[in-house]
């Protein structure tokens, strides 16, 4: 159900600082809401996002219930070599949404 | 004539000789538009029942009030008649109300909108006044008598039957006492407005330009439907079939959306894309894809997006199209709701359109359709045109209709015709 989008340049110069934009479809159900029958809707959010480059973590973020649906996170990374970014969003129930993106440095 | 058309639909459903019947259906129809209409009626659609949730219930989080004593687009004879010209309410003069309270009421947005929504009101005008109405900054020095000022607020139609200003007293927004206080305030207004910020002056405020990249899901969340729409298109319904079972190549539907909505003679109503999706999905996939459901909107956006860049082209020439346009003009000029607005009051350039209502710029009705359904940044939702029309109704304090109401179909047809020739840009993004 959850769909992740990544945007980053396909090529970069060695040592360049690039911007990575990420967007993941997620309801980010806060646990504070009630359904039409008045019962609390259980919390289900993405509580953690990480980004690794060639196996080494370059960014992580802890997300809280106040973050809106479809969290959009952008950040900057200095790239020294070609490789693969691996993104992972962890949901409250332990499910992990994954996405990858390539970059060529040269 | 109606009987024969009905029997044709029935025959087609039961699989009778289609070509002979198609010839029969076309025989009496003079133009190609009518031929297209006949073709539209052969598309499998569940014609019975509502295409939306039943019974209709207003969206969560919207104003819960109902306005049963005022017109809606279906009940057009509820609003009390306007006063005749010169038929003013007699009041004791001179009016010596509480000007301070009058100012408070005039500047308060919580009841009806406040005078500032449409009028500039002197040097103390709060931020972002509108200019649908005249500048009242010097109204206290204009030589109006108290009866005139009182009645212009109470019910302006006593002086100007064409006024778009709501009858604030006659429709129960303000008590006589409160209107007297507002008159007392108006009498204190004798000096032109001074704006601290150029943006506060509605005559100089720049017209908003929407130039965001609506096709980028990072910018416009509704554009997610370019992808998620494909998933809905491929998702099996209750009978195991999906859209893709029959429409193997979705791109074959390119150009379909620019000819919608269409008149359906069998149902005797205008069918827009969202209603079509609901009725077609029910008939072919045995699946409820009701109007205003997430799948319906996603699929409708996707189907429209296949025609992006193509000019909108609904029939305006056939006899039926002309009849729809005529009915639409009636609806566009029907005063509805406690605020007593007709569509044209705010959305025709001859009246309120292309002016400011408080901080919002009133668009004209022409040119709105290409960007629907639209992501509303203020609501965090994708809205189709029907929901937008419902919102308009509730904002003017008129009971909204269900999304598949024939009246909304007629309005959608008219609005689409007003956008004929413009390129489809769906989904858009707006405030």
């Amino acid at each position: 159900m959850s769909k992740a989008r990544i945007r980053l340049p396909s090529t970069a110069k060695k040592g360049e600082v690039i911007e990575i934009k990420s967007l993941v479809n997620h309801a980010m159900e806060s646990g504070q809401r009630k359904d039409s029958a008045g019962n609390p809707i259980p919390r289900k959010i993405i509580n953690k996002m990480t980004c690794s480059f060639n196996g080494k973590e370059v960014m992580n973020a802890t997300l809280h219930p106040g973050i809106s649906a479809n969290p959009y996170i952008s950040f900057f990374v200095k790239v020294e070599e070609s490789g693969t970014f691996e993104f992972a969003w962890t949901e409250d129930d332990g499910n992990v949404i994954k996405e990858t993106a390539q970059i060529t440095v040269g | 004539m109606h009987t024969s058309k009905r029997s044709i639909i029935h025959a087609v459903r039961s699989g009778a000789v289609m070509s002979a019947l198609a010839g029969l259906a076309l025989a009496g129809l003079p133009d190609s538009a009518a031929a297209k209409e006949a073709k539209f009626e052969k598309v499998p659609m569940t014609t019975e029942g509502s295409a939306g949730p039943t019974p209709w219930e207003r969206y969560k989080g919207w104003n819960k009030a109902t306005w049963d004593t005022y017109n809606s687009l279906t009940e057009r004879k509820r609003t009390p008649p306007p006063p005749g010209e010169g038929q003013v309410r007699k009041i004791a003069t001179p009016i010596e109300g509480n000007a301070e309270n009058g100012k408070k009421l005039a500047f308060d947005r919580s009841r009806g909108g406040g005078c500032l929504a449409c009028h500039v009101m002197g040097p103390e005008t709060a931020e972002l006044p509108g200019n649908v109405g005249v500048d009242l900054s010097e109204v206290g020095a204009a030589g109006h008598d108290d009866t005139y000022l009182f009645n212009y607020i109470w019910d302006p139609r006593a002086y100007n039957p064409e006024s778009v200003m709501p009858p604030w007293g006659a429709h129960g927004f303000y008590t006589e006492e409160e209107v007297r206080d507002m008159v007392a305030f108006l009498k204190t207004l004798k000096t032109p407005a001074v704006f601290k910020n150029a943006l506060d002056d509605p005559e100089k405020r720049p017209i908003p330009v929407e130039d965001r990249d609506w096709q980028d899901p990072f910018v416009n969340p509704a554009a997610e439907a370019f992808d998620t729409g494909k998933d809905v298109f491929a998702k099996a319904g209750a009978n195991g079939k999906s859209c893709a079972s029959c429409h193997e190549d979705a791109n074959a539907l390119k150009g379909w959306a620019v000819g919608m909505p269409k008149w359906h003679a069998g149902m005797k109503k205008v069918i827009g894309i969202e209603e079509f999706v609901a009725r077609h999905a029910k008939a072919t996939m045995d699946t409820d894809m009701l109007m205003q459901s997430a799948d319906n909107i996603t699929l409708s956006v996707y189907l429209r997006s296949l025609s992006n860049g193509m000019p909108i082209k609904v029939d305006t020439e056939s006899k039926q199209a002309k009849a729809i346009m005529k009915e639409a003009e009636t609806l566009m000029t029907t005063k509805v709701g406690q605020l007593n607005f007709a569509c044209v009051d705010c959305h025709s350039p001859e009246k309120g359109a292309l002016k400011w209502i408080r901080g919002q710029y009133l668009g004209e009705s022409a040119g709105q359709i290409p960007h629907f359904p639209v992501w509303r940044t203020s609501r965090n939702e994708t809205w189709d045109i029907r929901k937008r029309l419902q919102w308009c109704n509730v904002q003017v304090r008129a009971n909204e209709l269900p999304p598949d109401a024939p009246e909304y179909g007629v309005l959608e047809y008219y609005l689409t015709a007003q956008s004929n020739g413009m390129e489809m840009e769906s989904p858009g993004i707006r405030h």
Side-chain angles (χ1 to χ4, degrees):
Chain A
M1 216 34 215
S2 294
K3 191 177 181 75
R5 290 175 188 279
I6 302 296
R7 187 159 304 169
L8 52 85
S10 54
T11 60
K13 294 193 194 79
K14 186 171 158 59
E16 191 179 336
V17 176
I18 59 155
E19 183 178 16
I20 296 178
K21 293 177 178 177
S22 75
L23 179 67
V24 61
N25 272 8
H26 199 279
M28 295 294 278
E29 192 58 60
S30 70
Q32 303 293 319
R33 300 196 309 154
K34 287 177 178 158
D35 64 18
S36 49
N39 304 313
I41 302 172
R43 174 181 138 157
K44 190 185 179 187
I45 67 166
I46 288 170
N47 58 45
K48 190 180 174 197
M49 178 193 174
T50 59
C51 171
S52 311
F53 184 58
N54 290 343
K56 186 183 159 210
E57 186 168 292
V58 293
M59 193 285 298
N60 73 57
T62 306
L63 283 71
H64 293 275
I67 292 178
S68 71
N70 307 331
Y72 167 48
I73 294 174
S74 83
F75 52 96
F76 295 87
V77 178
K78 190 173 176 181
V79 285
E80 302 286 356
E81 59 185 19
S82 300
T84 306
F85 285 99
E86 291 176 331
F87 303 85
W89 293 262
T90 310
E91 291 181 282
D92 280 342
D93 61 7
N95 181 42
V96 182
I97 303 156
K98 288 181 176 165
E99 189 62 61
T100 59
Q102 312 287 327
I103 190 163
T104 308
V105 173
Chain B
M1 169 131 175
H2 291 148
T3 324
S4 74
K5 280 199 174 169
R6 242 184 242 137
S7 65
I8 288 165
I9 295 165
H10 179 75
V12 170
R13 280 222 198 103
S14 54
V17 193
M18 283 169 76
S19 56
L21 283 166
L24 192 73
L26 292 177
L29 301 170
D31 51 24
S32 65
K36 275 185 200 150
E37 182 194 288
K39 199 176 153 202
F40 183 53
E41 288 192 23
K42 282 199 272 172
V43 179
M45 273 187 259
T46 300
T47 55
E48 304 82 19
S50 170
T54 43
W56 172 250
E57 274 175 42
R58 200 176 289 166
Y59 307 97
K60 224 177 144 186
W62 284 31
N63 191 335
K64 287 187 176 59
T66 53
W67 301 277
D68 298 332
T69 53
Y70 297 99
N71 285 354
S72 70
L73 286 171
T74 43
E75 300 291 339
R76 302 179 215 164
K77 286 182 180 161
R78 285 182 172 171
T79 301
E85 214 163 334
Q87 218 176 47
V88 298
R89 191 176 166 90
K90 302 260 185 308
I91 44 130
T93 54
I95 287 176
E96 283 165 4
N98 178 344
E100 204 41 49
N101 187 46
K103 179 180 161 188
K104 213 176 118 202
L105 290 166
F107 287 11
D108 179 8
R109 289 189 81 176
S110 65
R111 285 172 59 192
C115 308
L116 290 180
C118 294
H119 299 283
V120 174
M121 301 187 91
E124 289 178 61
T125 298
E127 76 284 355
L128 296 176
N131 62 350
V132 173
V134 294
D135 185 333
L136 295 174
S137 299
E138 295 169 86
V139 70
H144 299 303
D145 65 39
D146 289 4
T147 302
Y148 178 87
L149 290 175
F150 180 92
N151 276 281
Y152 220 101
I153 302 173
W154 188 264
D155 193 337
R157 297 170 297 179
Y159 298 110
N160 175 10
E162 294 299 307
S163 175
V164 303
M165 180 164 143
W168 297 111
H171 278 195
F173 284 94
Y174 299 107
T175 63
E176 186 167 325
E177 183 79 23
E178 287 172 327
V179 176
R180 295 172 79 89
D181 289 350
M182 285 193 266
V183 170
F185 170 57
L186 289 181
K187 291 201 284 183
T188 68
L189 295 177
K190 292 176 181 173
T191 41
V194 187
F195 298 101
K196 290 180 210 94
N197 181 333
L199 290 175
D200 281 336
D201 183 350
E203 300 300 331
K204 296 190 180 140
R205 203 177 295 154
I207 293 162
V209 179
E210 179 49 68
D211 58 2
R212 280 171 285 192
D213 184 358
W214 54 272
Q215 298 185 78
D216 183 352
F218 281 87
V219 176
N220 178 8
E224 286 282 348
F226 295 150
D227 284 336
T228 51
K230 284 181 194 155
D231 300 339
V232 177
F233 198 80
K235 191 163 84 181
N239 64 3
K241 283 189 184 174
S242 72
C243 305
S245 307
C246 296
H247 305 280
E248 281 171 35
D249 179 12
N251 287 316
L253 295 168
K254 186 175 161 66
W256 171 74
V258 294
M260 291 293 281
K262 279 194 172 80
W263 174 257
H264 193 288
M267 280 183 273
K268 293 196 177 58
K269 69 192 288 201
V270 174
I271 303 290
I273 288 177
E274 290 78 11
E275 181 167 2
F276 175 81
V277 160
R279 295 191 182 281
H280 189 54
K282 187 72 182 166
T284 59
M285 292 154 62
D286 194 23
T287 289
D288 285 322
M289 214 182 272
L290 296 178
M291 294 173 84
Q292 303 306 334
S293 68
D295 276 1
N296 183 299
I297 292 181
T298 301
L299 189 60
S300 300
V301 170
Y302 174 66
L303 291 172
R304 270 194 176 78
S305 73
L306 296 171
S307 301
N308 274 345
M310 296 176 71
I312 286 176
K313 204 175 139 192
V314 296
D315 165 33
T316 53
E317 295 304 318
S318 71
K319 210 172 135 192
Q320 186 59 57
K322 286 185 173 135
I324 297 167
M325 298 297 272
K326 195 157 170 260
E327 167 69 5
E329 273 162 34
T330 305
L331 291 170
M332 291 288 288
T333 52
T334 298
K335 296 273 191 179
V336 297
Q338 192 182 11
L339 281 166
N340 203 51
F341 285 127
C343 305
V344 293
D345 290 349
C346 289
H347 299 296
S348 78
E350 296 77 29
K351 296 198 169 182
L354 314 182
K355 297 192 182 85
W356 293 92
I357 187 154
R358 199 82 197 232
Q360 288 179 302
Y361 191 67
L362 286 170
E364 57 179 319
S365 52
Q368 299 294 331
I369 287 294
H371 67 258
F372 271 88
V374 64
W375 179 260
R376 292 206 68 189
T377 55
S378 57
R379 312 292 304 183
N380 239 10
E381 289 171 331
T382 309
W383 282 19
D384 65 6
I385 185 64
R386 302 293 176 98
K387 191 167 184 179
R388 190 64 187 77
L389 294 174
Q390 290 177 314
W391 177 254
C392 277
N393 281 163
V394 172
Q395 290 306 97
V396 303
R397 305 185 184 214
N399 292 342
E400 84 285 17
L401 314 180
D404 65 339
E407 289 80 5
Y408 286 155
V410 169
L411 284 176
E412 182 181 341
Y413 198 102
Y414 179 83
L415 294 173
T416 311
Q418 279 195 311
S419 294
N420 262 353
M422 297 179 74
E423 287 176 7
M424 183 82 89
E425 294 183 344
S426 179
I429 177 169
R430 294 291 187 278
H431 172 62

